[in-house]
């Protein structure tokens, strides 16, 4: 079929084309060709990175036909597209994933081998694009994969940060941040499209005028203008021809120099605006949940939103004579409130630029947008000081006032004389200083509002969006998150993929429900033993990595107990530590205690300015230093903090986990997606009834899930009665022993100040109820240990977890978005022959 493929791609050529051919010899030759003509190297002097680049271009060549055909098809008159607007896309390395989705992994592996190289080593050479903080950015990446795999016309719009999320080093047990220079050796996956640049206004003032037809209009006279240049990356679907685009914007000054100033001899002043404009997309803000009103961040948001909407309108008008049907051909999803200014910007473009009347413009806007909320933490809701907003985006603020006035008029009719409703629904927060509330703008401007797990969507309606729910209940819906099985199983866990595929074929890879068929093998002892064998081998790989990275020797037969995610008080990494110290104390007092050996593995970044999160990292590494070196323990406990947790490291860690720690305070974690990746790879979960844990437990069965802790209503109940954490300390001797051991400096070489802020926080405030959940957590961990001792039982539970994970594919999530929010249909992409005429 290879020559058939070649002839589809190029009917004029009967031999395999160097740029499209898929057989081993062609690929081998193509890599050498790219090595010479792109990298400018002979094999003898090429570095591993040169070979990686040569291979990356070889793979990209094989994507281009699909990509260009997809882009062309999406432009057509009757094709509705999804535009996914997100300030973050945490896509992870491209090479391995593209090999999987192109279905050429084996050929390429062989071709590379014949050149005397190792494919895995080349894959590991790729610098990952860290253009996101955590769950929200990674979700966007899984969704792009599923959109393409389901053949949905789509485009992801975001920012091409020059520096992504910082690299984390650990020095003396503390986090140190290093700038991430992901672009320094070039990025073979992107193509710049400077011909599609757009201009973005900032600052200045607005001015009323009457147009030629006597109509009243407003124009914005900006203080300065920034150019947005798109950089496109193909996102190929799994075994389909659809390759959608991820279009990321880079900012540049309109003119490299301000010539007037230059001529006046003010060289520095002239370069100033260039520097200013290019600073705009320099760096990703490294905070995941809370935000701080930083002007540059608002500039970033408006910049990419303005570029993206102009881009959509431009492409729309290629095949359509007006924007009247814009909402029929575009579904725009707001990934949290970061792009919410798009509601006002689309109104501006329709009214000011395309001269629509307000009402029809508003209809188009509301029909076009959907808004996904990702957090319940009230402190994480974005709001911008009115002064900053008005100075930077004067026209947008006027439009927001107009949206707000018209909206509040409707509220007044629905809830007469209800001042408190009015003030909570208003886009403008007037409580103390004045702010623009982005969530309110997003809710008002969208026809659908969704949370990311059932519990979260319910809590949204009960808490932070309660008044919006009362006003328009029909807008509210839920789409539970999902993860792509391509990256999070096929690519990251080839051994388990192979075992599963031997048993049930490979349809599960894009129909994850089919994993159900594994249930018929749970009672098959030899299958269970193969299952354990796979886990064991993967754990050995991770053990080697751990030793190489942090010099800690861990026992691959021990229970790998893993918590990897951003460091946050609500995620309660420190509760995990309280359990570790509890076990430590027990083993010290009773060396004969019969518990399985455990390796505790942590990974995650703390926001650089988050004092408590950084101390929690220091707590983990300090406890590790003592425990790992205590000869009394005879290696029965080990504590590892893996530095620089990112997508690449996640791919190593999830497959090797036995136990997944999902221990946030109930009601705080919107969904979680790591929880799904662990379960999919055969780890059992210890968790609270929070986020998607609730649904995971429902699917896998309560008997295959270690539940503990207060429920969301119980948390509220405890808090309403004046929670007194100290009471738990006073009444629980074992807990007291743990906290006292930290306080006395045992883990900090006698330094009592170092970790005391954490202990004080727990004793006197404990906003996330660690002490209230402590005993329940410890009890549940005892059940884990008991279960692990019975390896046959554990394997059964592990197999059932995997077999019942079908729901958590991002393919299912995307299908729901398509059906209930976007109303879009798949379009299959025909591979058009490439020749000079249609090129
Ligand atoms: C996260 C939520 O905390 C997490 O529960 C959810 O699974 C994920 O979004 C995807 O929906 N939120 C963020 O990561 N937020 C930011 C700003 O990074």
């Amino acid at each position: 079929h290879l020559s058939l493929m070649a002839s589809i791609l190029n009917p004029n050529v009967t031999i395999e084309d160097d740029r499209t051919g898929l057989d081993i010899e062609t690929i081998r030759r193509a890599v050498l060709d790219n090595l010479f003509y792109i990298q400018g190297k002979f094999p003898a002097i090429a570095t591993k990175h040169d070979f990686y680049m040569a291979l990356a271009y070889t793979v990209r060549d094989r994507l281009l036909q699909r990509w260009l055909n997809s882009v062309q098809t999406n432009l057509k008159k009757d094709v509705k597209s999804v535009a996914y607007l997100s300030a973050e896309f945490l896509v992870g390395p491209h090479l391995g994933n593209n090999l999987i989705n192109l279905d050429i992994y084996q050929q390429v592996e062989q071709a590379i081998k014949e050149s005397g190289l190792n494919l895995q080593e080349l894959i590991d050479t790729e610098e990952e694009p860290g253009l996101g903080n955590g769950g929200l950015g990674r979700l966007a990446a899984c969704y792009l994969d599923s959109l393409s795999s389901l053949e949905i016309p789509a485009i992801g719009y975001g920012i091409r940060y020059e520096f992504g999320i910082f690299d984390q080093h650990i020095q003396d047990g503390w986090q140190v941040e290093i700038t991430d220079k992901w672009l320094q050796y070039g990025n073979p996956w992107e193509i710049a499209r400077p011909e599609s640049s757009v201009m973005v206004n900032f600052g200045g003032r607005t001015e009323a005028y009457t147009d030629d037809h006597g109509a009243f209009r407003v124009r914005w006279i900006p203080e300065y203008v920034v150019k947005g240049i798109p950089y496109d990356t193909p996102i190929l679907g799994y075994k389909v021809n659809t390759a959608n685009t991820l279009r990321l914007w880079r900012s540049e000054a309109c003119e490299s120099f301000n010539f007037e100033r230059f001529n006046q001899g003010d060289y520095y002043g002239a370069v100033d605006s260039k520097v200013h404009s290019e600073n705009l997309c320099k760096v990703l803000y490294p905070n995941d949940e809370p935000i701080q009103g930083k002007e540059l961040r608002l500039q970033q948001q408006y910049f990419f939103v303005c570029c993206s909407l102009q881009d959509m309108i431009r492409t729309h008008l290629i095949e359509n004579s007006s924007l009247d049907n814009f909402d029929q051909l575009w579904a725009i999803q707001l990934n949290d409130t970061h792009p919410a200014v798009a509601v006002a910007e689309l109104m501006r473009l329709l009214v000011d630029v395309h001269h629509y009347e307000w009402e029809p413009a508003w209809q188009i806007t509301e029909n076009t947008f959907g808004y996904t909320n990702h957090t319940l933490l009230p402190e994480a809701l974005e709001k911008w000081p009115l002064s900053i907003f008005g100075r930077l985006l004067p026209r947008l603020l006027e439009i927001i006032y107009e949206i707000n006035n018209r909206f509040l008029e409707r509220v007044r009719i629905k809830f007469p004389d209800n001042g408190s409703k009015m003030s909570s629904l208003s886009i403008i927060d007037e409580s103390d200083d004045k702010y623009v509330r982005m969530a309110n703008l997003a809710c008002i401007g969208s026809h659908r509002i969704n949370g990311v797990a059932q519990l979260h969507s319910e809590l949204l309606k009960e808490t932070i969006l309660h008044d919006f729910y009362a006003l328009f209940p029909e807008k509210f819906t839920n789409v539970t998150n999902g993860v792509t099985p391509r990256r999070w199983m096929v690519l990251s866990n080839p051994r388990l993929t192979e075992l599963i595929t031997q048993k049930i074929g490979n349809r599960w890879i894009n129909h994850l429900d089919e994993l159900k068929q594994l249930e018929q093998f749970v009672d098959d002892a030899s299958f269970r033993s193969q299952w354990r064998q796979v886990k064991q081998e993967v754990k050995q790989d991770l053990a080697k990595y751990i030793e190489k990275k942090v010099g800690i020797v861990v026992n691959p037969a021990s229970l790998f107990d893993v918590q990897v995610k951003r460091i946050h008080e609500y995620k309660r990494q420190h509760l995990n530590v309280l359990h570790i110290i509890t076990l430590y104390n027990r083993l010290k007092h009773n060396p004969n205690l019969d518990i399985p050996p455990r390796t505790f593995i942590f990974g995650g970044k703390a926001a650089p300015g988050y004092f408590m999160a950084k101390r929690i990292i220091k707590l983990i590494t300090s406890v590790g230093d003592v425990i790992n070196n205590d000869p009394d323990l005879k290696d029965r406990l080990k504590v590892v903090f893996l530095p620089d947790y990112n997508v690449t490291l996640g791919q190593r860690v999830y497959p090797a986990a036995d136990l997944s720690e999902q221990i946030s305070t109930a009601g705080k974690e919107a969904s979680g997606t790591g929880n799904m990746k662990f379960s999919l790879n055969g780890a059992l979960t210890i968790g609270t009834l929070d986020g998607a844990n609730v649904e995971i437990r429902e699917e896998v069965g309560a008997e295959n899930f270690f539940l503990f802790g207060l429920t969301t209503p119980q948390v509220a109940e405890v808090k309403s009665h004046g929670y007194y954490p100290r009471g738990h300390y006073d009444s629980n001797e074992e807990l007291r022993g743990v906290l006292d051991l930290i306080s006395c400096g045992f883990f900090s070489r006698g330094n009592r100040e170092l970790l005391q802020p954490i202990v004080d926080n727990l004793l006197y405030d404990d906003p996330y109820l660690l002490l209230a959940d402590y005993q329940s957590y410890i009890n549940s961990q005892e059940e884990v240990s008991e279960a692990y001792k019975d390896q046959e039982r554990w394997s059964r539970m592990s197999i059932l977890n995997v077999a019942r994970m079908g729901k958590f594919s991002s393919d299912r999530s995307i299908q729901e978005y398509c059906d209930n929010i976007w109303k879009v249909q798949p379009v299959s992409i025909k591979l058009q022959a490439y020749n000079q005429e249609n090129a």
Side-chain angles (χ1 to χ4, degrees), residues 473-486:
E474 70 288 350
K475 286 193 183 187
F476 283 74
T477 183
N478 169 249
V479 182
T480 298
N481 284 168
V483 301
T484 170
R486 274 72 68 182

Side-chain angles (χ1 to χ4, degrees), residues 209 216-218 309-310 312-314 316-317 322-327 330 332 342-369 395-396 399:
Y209 71 101
F216 171 82
R217 309 226 170 265
V218 178
L309 285 172
Q310 289 188 63
M312 283 177 244
I313 288 176
R314 182 185 56 79
H316 183 91
L317 291 176
S322 83
L323 295 173
D324 295 358
N325 59 345
F326 187 81
D327 53 348
W330 289 98
I332 306 180
V343 170
E345 175 64 7
L346 183 56
M347 285 302 287
R348 185 187 73 82
L349 291 166
L350 290 170
V351 172
D352 289 0
V353 180
H354 295 273
H355 295 179
Y356 274 77
E357 295 296 321
W358 187 274
E359 269 309 320
W362 183 250
Q363 280 315 312
I364 293 172
T365 299
E366 200 181 356
N367 288 341
T368 303
F369 286 107
R395 181 56 184 146
L396 279 293
I399 288 173

Side-chain angles (χ1 to χ4, degrees), residues 333-348:
Q333 195 64 23
L334 303 173
N335 196 24
D336 216 290
T337 56
H338 316 147
V341 67
V343 170
E345 175 64 7
L346 183 56
M347 285 302 287
R348 185 187 73 82

Side-chain angles (χ1 to χ4, degrees), residues 6 52 61 83 93-94 170 183 220 294 300 334 357 388 392 443 501 521 530 548 567 698 725 740 772 806:
Y52 157 73
D61 285 342
H94 293 283
I170 300 294
L183 289 168
W220 177 2
K294 284 272 186 287
Q300 291 183 339
L334 303 173
E357 295 296 321
I388 294 184
L392 201 63
C443 286
T501 302
F521 303 107
Q530 287 176 297
K548 194 179 101 204
I567 311 294
E698 248 166 52
D740 288 349

Side-chain angles (χ1 to χ4, degrees), residues 88 133-137 139 287-289 297 336 338 373-375 452 481 570-571 668-673:
E88 305 187 5
N133 273 289
L136 170 142
L139 185 77
N287 297 350
D288 60 338
E289 302 282 354
R297 166 95 172 167
D336 216 290
H338 316 147
N373 172 290
H374 294 267
T375 185
V452 289
N481 284 168
Y570 86 77
K571 295 177 188 282
K668 298 292 179 195
E669 189 70 89
S671 164
T673 44

Side-chain angles (χ1 to χ4, degrees), residues 485-486 506-515 806 809 811:
R486 274 72 68 182
N506 65 8
R507 245 182 73 89
W508 61 272
I509 295 170
N510 51 353
H511 302 87
L512 202 63
D513 284 323
E514 301 227 344
L515 287 175
S809 168
D811 298 344

